[in-house]
Amino acid sequence: MNFQKLETIIGYQFQNKKILQQAMTHSSYANEKKHGKAGNNERLEFLGDAVLELISSEFLYFKFPGIPEGELTKKRASLVCEPSLAFCAREFGLPEFLLLGKGEDMTGGRNRDSIVSDATEALLGAIYLDGGFASAKEFVLKFILNDIERKSLFYDSKTILQEIVQGEKNKTVQYVLAGENGPDHNKEFSVQVVIDGEVMGTGVGHTKKAAEQKAAYEAIRKIKQ
């Protein structure tokens, strides 16, 4: 695996190359290679999760000085939730560098939000251990907390669309499954969002929920235009 390419993409050179490899090592690969539990990325993920919570909390605290604690908590949850982290990771190509067991890889593990999101947190944990808090913060600001207005809209799109429609009397929102493609272990769902009988958006995703969010996002963009 060419981890030098990953270092170039993220703009951080590891002193300890082994910790980067461990961050990309899923338990299925560690088990297959008989590396034991210490050889996978789960401990780094645990650490990265805590580092991400602190950095994102500080960021939101200063960016939104007038917002109360409850709203800040909601914002943080939407920005660092599993689908959001997986989305951020795909934007800079992280899945390409995952070390997965053959079975996990063949059954679509490289596309699975949970695996990609955990690896993102593990990578953050590795950067923190290798280069300290400042390097970890730079990574988070560059790849996770960038363009947060668009990301907030995307991850709260179903809620936002519901609020828009509720403002107009008697309008209803329905999500209709339009199709399924691919084998059971790696399905893609196509969902349409229908408002008062009119298709306002279509989304495709590896889960129905992800497809619904994409459809809602498309509908909001259409309404705002």
Side-chain angles (χ1 to χ4, degrees):
M1 188 67 73
N2 183 7
F3 290 124
Q4 278 184 314
K5 183 181 173 185
L6 177 57
E7 288 178 303
T8 302
I9 290 168
I10 64 174
Y12 179 78
Q13 299 296 315
F14 278 82
Q15 302 299 311
N16 179 359
K17 305 296 182 186
K18 285 184 179 176
I19 202 171
L20 171 57
Q21 180 168 330
Q22 186 172 355
M24 295 297 99
T25 302
H26 185 251
S27 56
S28 61
Y29 184 89
N31 292 340
E32 201 174 86
K33 299 295 181 183
K34 307 283 194 291
H35 290 167
K37 288 197 173 183
N40 67 38
N41 64 5
E42 289 171 5
R43 282 168 54 84
L44 285 171
E45 177 216 328
F46 162 80
L47 180 61
D49 177 59
V51 174
L52 179 59
E53 184 164 321
L54 176 57
I55 293 168
S56 55
S57 299
E58 181 196 58
F59 173 82
L60 292 169
Y61 179 86
F62 287 111
K63 185 166 178 66
F64 301 104
I67 290 181
E69 177 264 346
E71 286 301 309
L72 289 174
T73 301
K74 278 186 194 173
K75 272 190 178 295
R76 184 182 64 200
S78 73
L79 287 169
V80 301
C81 66
E82 187 179 282
S84 178
L85 287 181
F87 176 81
C88 296
R90 290 188 185 106
E91 285 202 316
F92 69 89
L94 182 78
E96 175 190 338
F97 303 97
L98 294 174
L99 295 173
L100 302 174
K102 286 178 185 173
E104 189 66 62
D105 208 0
M106 286 172 66
T107 55
R110 210 168 288 276
N111 293 319
R112 203 161 289 135
D113 279 3
S114 58
I115 290 176
V116 176
S117 141
D118 289 350
T120 308
E121 289 182 331
L123 177 59
L124 175 58
I127 293 170
Y128 171 75
L129 285 181
D130 191 75
F133 186 76
S135 296
K137 185 174 180 179
E138 194 175 322
F139 171 79
V140 171
L141 294 179
K142 187 175 179 182
F143 294 106
I144 297 172
L145 297 178
N146 59 332
D147 199 4
I148 66 162
E149 282 77 13
R150 179 173 67 93
K151 285 176 180 171
S152 294
L153 173 60
F154 182 78
Y155 290 108
D156 295 333
S157 54
K158 283 183 72 177
T159 306
I160 292 166
L161 182 61
Q162 192 65 44
E163 287 169 356
I164 290 169
V165 173
Q166 276 175 350
E168 300 184 39
K169 279 189 177 179
N170 304 320
K171 283 202 171 182
T172 57
V173 180
Q174 286 180 302
Y175 293 92
V176 179
L177 183 63
E180 296 179 26
N181 286 304
D184 286 345
H185 59 75
N186 196 22
K187 268 199 190 307
E188 269 199 339
F189 300 91
S190 176
V191 170
Q192 293 177 332
V193 60
V194 181
I195 301 174
D196 266 14
E198 183 184 352
V199 176
M200 293 294 287
T202 302
V204 177
H206 286 286
T207 64
K208 288 177 188 173
K209 187 178 177 183
E212 287 172 359
Q213 290 283 25
K214 288 177 183 176
Y217 180 66
E218 198 178 287
I220 293 165
R221 288 181 64 185
K222 194 179 282 188
I223 290 166
K224 290 196 171 185
Q225 282 168 4

